[in-house]
Amino acid sequence: MKVFLIGGRNIAYHLARRLLNKGHQVVLVNKDEKLNEELAKRLKKAIIITGDGSKRHVLEQLEITSKDLFVTLTPNDQDNLVASLTAKRVFGIENPLALINDPDNEAAFKKLGIDTTVSPTNIIAQAIEERIFKEQITNLIPSSEQISVFRIEMEEESPAVGKRIMELAIPRESVIGAIIRGGETIIPRGDTIIKGGDQLIVLSKPTVQSSVFEALLGEV
Amino acid sequence: MSILNKKKSKGLYIVIFGCGRLGSGIANWLSLKGNSVVVVDRREEAFSSLSFEFTGFTIIGDATELDTLETAKVEKADVVLALTPDDNTNIMTALIAKEYFKVSRVIARVYDPNNIDMFSEFGVEIICPTLLAVKEIQNSLGFAGGDEA
């Protein structure tokens, strides 16, 4: 089994180094000749090919089999998509792995049969968001782009405490789906009063989540 | 035909990606024929090649971002044309228009004849200028028998 790494600069280098250290066979395909000379010096055991890895005639020279791993790492989603589709349809690789630059493209890649995608933007964004959120806020579905589900702990001084749900200034695109109070689950109505120590399960559109936090916890 | 005749209820809704020589030419023609046309290009300068008879809309955006396709309302399009200078961009935009937005007619310009079969399987119509030129030259030289390739 070989691992084909298509495109990518530093990320390809570091991946290759790691895979080679573990004893795998690695083939790097890159358009940039200068980069390849550099890589060849630093990665003695790797096979390095100069060429556009999204082009079928380039891939056809590489003796790719359906047992190999195929990973696309270029900074262009269109090149990653075309290379992955070629790997899948021409060489029978079941699960090519594609880096995606625009996280929104994940759904489109899936629809076209590329199920395994990695989005560095998403990963870093999640790490950033976890730092932005106060410690009372837990993101229950961190990977979703469509919906935010948060568990928010109320403290005695939180602005929402003592208010009825209907009095809260939370956005229309959000709802408090459940309140966990002392181990009991309460499905709230408009007249339910929020108490200190309550854990609110809040559903909202991601676009309004910061105004939800503000309404419930004050300044965020 | 009046230039101010901005909205015509008849005609198709057509989104064109890439406003180069081909894209702008087709856009001008389709607009003149009374279709609602939206042209998308990454570079604002590209729109200067649209004629004054072009009555459609222009959007600055990258065809490889799903957001751009949504802004251009691709899901409502009768026809999508992918005519940027980059093969892979055209293939990706066309496949997404077809499979994700379920557009009934999608045409992509692809220079490399290598991939035509594979992407045609998705139901995308591919125009390959390279093959067209080959055929034309064969025709002019008079060797065009049943003998392909």
Side-chain angles (χ1 to χ4, degrees), chain A residues 52 54-57 60 77-83 85-86 89-90 102 104-105 107-109 111-112, chain B residues 42 62 64-67 86-89 91-92 95-96 99-100 102 112 114-115 117-119 121-122:
Chain A
D52 182 343
S54 72
K55 292 274 177 271
R56 185 168 167 172
H57 65 91
E60 267 168 351
D77 285 350
Q78 64 272 36
D79 298 339
N80 291 338
L81 178 72
V82 169
L85 284 173
T86 308
R89 297 191 150 231
V90 179
D102 174 3
D104 291 348
N105 280 334
F109 273 52
K111 204 101 189 177
L112 295 166
Chain B
R42 266 200 307 210
D62 189 325
T64 62
E65 286 176 22
L66 205 61
D67 209 32
D86 180 58
D87 271 13
N88 289 350
T89 301
I91 290 168
M92 173 164 166
L95 292 180
I96 291 177
E99 291 287 314
Y100 191 83
K102 304 290 175 203
D112 182 358
N114 250 308
N115 283 332
D117 292 344
M118 185 167 74
F119 296 112
E121 281 172 26
F122 286 97

Side-chain angles (χ1 to χ4, degrees), chain A residues 110-136:
Chain A
K110 284 216 159 74
K111 204 101 189 177
L112 295 166
I114 307 303
D115 295 315
T116 323
T117 54
V118 176
S119 162
T121 317
N122 254 352
I123 295 167
I124 296 168
Q126 277 171 34
I128 294 172
E129 277 165 14
E130 267 160 39
R131 281 171 175 72
I132 293 173
F133 297 151
K134 288 185 167 186
E135 51 189 36
Q136 302 104 293

